[in-house]
Amino acid sequence: MIVNRKVQTLDEFTIQQLRDVPQATGELSHLLRNIGLAGKRIHREVNKAGLVDILGDTGDVNVQGEEVKKLDVYANEQMMGVLRHGIACAGIASEELPDFVAFDDAKSIQSKYVCMFDPLDGSSNIDVNVSIGTIFSVYRRLSPIGTVVTREDFLQPGNRQVAAGYIVYGSSSMLVYATRRGVNGFTLDPSIGEWTLSHPDIKCPERGKIYSVNHGNFFQYDEKVRRYIEACQKKTKADGGPYTQRYIGSMVADVHRNLIKGGIFMYPGTIDRPKGKLRLMYECNPFAFIMQVAGGKATDGKTNILDIQPVELHQRTPLFIGSRLMMEELEQYLAS
Ligand code: P6P
């Protein structure tokens, strides 16, 4: 009997990775599989959002002052649930919650990781069927194992991340995660309910032809940013162009596309929002980690995103992220 062994599931992959790292305890692999389970459940609800009454708002407002969509609430509950009931996470912080949550039961306080996440980013796009996503970031706790986690366990710079990833719920659902060993993408096969390795060892092309930015804010951007955007519009075949502008207002989808195809994504500071809109801990840091492992770069316009010392769970930062050579060209404009 021929057994199709080409398909490698997330479980098989993480266990194989475990074999390659002898001193590993398997907790990180277990945590990633927990997130994969939450992702399958969120995929199921996202995919039927148009069919059942989970569209529309709960009428609540989250800590960001944004209307909370029912799917946001569901996704947050799924992520919290799998991590609380797993054995690898001692606490979480979420875009949907005002403060971190310590898992203070006897088993969880023995865990060595904490996880931060945006359970459903881009949720304003749910009702119009645009791809949305879950973003997560994993750190080794600083406080002693066996104690309840503290705020310092969460306020670590992005360069201390152990793993980071996202799930994009689109034409198909994909889970992409990075450790220092590489970036790997898994496409959900709903027929068997498994994340299957479809994009091994993802590398971001060092140059692309896509630039992603909200042109509606153009006249609010710093003059140096505007000059770079205008340079993108003037690219010709002779200097690596012509570029195309792609921006669907869903960070996970926009950055995922640029990671795979090459490109640059920008959410600069504006006059109204000098720190921009995107959150450092559970939007920018995870993507910056993934992009750096894949060969790209990510800055706030001056500093590597991963080197920013956070002071607040929900702090925002401007973000420029993407292909290395495009980022280096941008940096020349910003330094001019
Ligand atoms: P704007 C979605 O609300 C989000 O947080 C990101 O996913 C997305 O990149 C950004 O906001 C879009 O913001 O201001 O361009 O609509």
Side-chain angles (χ1 to χ4, degrees), residues 121-125 214 217 247 249-252 254 265 267 273 277-278 283:
D121 177 74
S123 51
S124 55
N125 294 303
N214 183 336
N217 299 330
Y247 188 82
S250 181
M251 178 187 196
V252 176
D254 278 320
F265 173 93
Y267 205 106
R273 289 174 143 168
K277 173 183 183 183
L278 302 178
E283 290 176 336

Side-chain angles (χ1 to χ4, degrees), residues 169-190:
Y169 309 100
S171 48
S172 64
S173 288
M174 260 190 82
L175 185 155
V176 176
Y177 83 85
T179 63
R180 296 190 185 291
R181 300 161 56 80
V183 184
N184 290 280
F186 300 79
T187 298
L188 182 63
D189 178 344

